[in-house]
């Protein structure tokens, strides 16, 4: 049995009643608008999209593209990184591609990303430094371009764009995605970025649809 926390902490943490009340109101509103929504949602999950995005609370994947629950499979982490050894991310990708049969993998970053800024400033932050090294690698590959972008905010935003491109290319280089293409599965990898200041998405011109678009990859 877990030890009981101190009474004051327990009272502060045990319920969060406002969240349960908001959940109840939301569920009731959804049922009024569409009585079959929850029964239909429980029967199956067949989203056509996988979203690989940043954990930033200001970038809710479904909401900013106007999709309902069940219409997008989602993986989020700090700075929308696709790390080669990240079994969490790779498991989500494999399940989305092989089991759910998604047709689009969208890697989406956002301007002003705190993780990207931390990677660019290269200040020691603790455990997260190990994670941000994947973003620092992107910076080192494009240092001249990033440094020429202007002030710090402009450099961060340029690195945000380049990081999306790099992570989308990493998705395309996974054995999961390449195996799907080899068996003829329709699958596209996209690179997008979101601007917090106006709520709009921007296509970075990344759309990889087959092995021929991945340099150095045998068909």
């Amino acid at each position: 049995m877990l030890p009981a926390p101190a009474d004051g902490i327990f009272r502060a943490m045990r319920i969060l009643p406002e969240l349960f009340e908001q959940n109840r109101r939301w569920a009731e509103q959804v049922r009024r608008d569409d009585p079959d929504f929850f029964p239909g949602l429980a029967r199956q999950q067949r989203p056509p999209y996988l979203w690989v995005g940043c954990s930033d609370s200001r970038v809710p994947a479904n909401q900013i593209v106007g999709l309902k629950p069940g219409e997008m499979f989602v993986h989020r982490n700090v700075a929308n990184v696709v790390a080669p050894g990240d079994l969490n991310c790779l498991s989500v990708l494999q399940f989305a591609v092989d089991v759910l049969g998604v047709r689009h993998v969208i890697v989406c970053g956002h301007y002003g990303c705190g993780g990207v800024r931390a990677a660019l400033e290269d200040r020691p932050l603790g455990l997260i430094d190990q994670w941000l090294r994947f973003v620092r690698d992107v910076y080192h590959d494009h240092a001249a371009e990033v440094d020429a972008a202007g002030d710090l905010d402009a450099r961060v935003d340029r690195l945000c764009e380049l990081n999306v491109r790099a992570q989308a290319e990493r998705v395309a280089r996974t054995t999961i995605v390449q195996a799907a293409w080899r068996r003829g599965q329709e699958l596209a990898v996209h690179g997008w970025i979101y601007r917090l200041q106006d709520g709009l998405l921007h296509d970075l011109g990344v759309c990889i649809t087959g092995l021929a678009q991945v340099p150095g990859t045998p068909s």
Side-chain angles (χ1 to χ4, degrees):
M1 179 179 296
L2 292 173
D7 287 347
I9 297 175
F10 183 71
R11 283 195 298 270
M13 296 178 62
R14 64 178 174 174
I15 297 177
L16 293 176
E18 67 278 10
L19 298 187
F20 282 93
E21 176 59 23
Q22 288 169 201
N23 166 253
R24 184 189 62 78
R25 290 198 300 266
W26 170 76
E28 289 178 353
Q29 183 63 54
V30 170
R31 284 193 293 268
R32 282 195 297 270
D33 294 342
D34 182 0
D36 191 51
F37 177 78
F38 289 116
L41 196 64
R43 283 193 294 269
Q44 66 175 353
Q45 176 182 219
R46 280 294 175 188
Y49 315 103
L50 167 62
W51 176 281
V52 179
C54 183
S55 296
D56 193 301
S57 61
R58 301 167 294 176
V59 192
N62 284 64
Q63 188 172 350
I64 65 177
V65 291
L67 294 180
K68 297 177 182 178
E71 295 180 331
M72 179 177 280
F73 204 53
V74 176
H75 175 78
R76 296 169 68 179
N77 60 51
V78 174
N80 44 273
V81 167
V82 179
D86 181 7
L87 294 182
N88 186 347
C89 181
L90 294 176
S91 296
V92 170
L93 179 63
Q94 188 270 328
F95 188 82
V97 172
D98 293 351
V99 180
L100 299 178
V102 301
R103 297 191 300 275
H104 302 275
V105 178
I106 300 163
V107 178
C108 186
H110 66 97
Y111 290 116
C113 178
V116 172
R117 180 180 292 268
L120 182 60
E121 293 180 333
D122 201 16
R123 290 181 291 106
L125 296 172
L127 179 63
I128 198 172
D129 293 338
Q130 300 300 313
W131 183 254
L132 293 179
R133 66 188 175 89
F134 297 106
V135 183
R136 291 191 182 104
D137 288 345
V138 178
Y139 169 67
H140 292 148
D141 289 342
H142 302 276
E145 181 178 353
V146 173
D147 292 344
D151 62 13
L152 177 59
D153 288 343
R155 296 198 302 274
V156 169
D157 285 351
R158 185 58 185 141
L159 184 53
C160 288
E161 294 174 340
L162 292 167
N163 184 54
V164 168
R165 290 177 175 272
Q167 306 311 325
E169 290 173 4
R170 284 178 178 166
V171 170
R173 290 184 181 279
T174 63
T175 57
I176 298 161
V177 168
Q178 294 194 0
W181 283 330
R182 287 193 174 97
R183 62 177 176 259
Q185 185 171 336
E186 182 181 338
L187 182 63
V189 180
H190 307 269
W192 297 355
I193 196 161
Y194 177 71
R195 190 179 297 279
L196 295 166
Q197 289 84 349
D198 58 17
L200 295 178
L201 287 165
H202 300 270
D203 188 340
L204 291 176
V206 178
C207 183
I208 308 170
T209 59
L211 293 167
Q213 294 173 267
V214 184
T217 301
S219 58

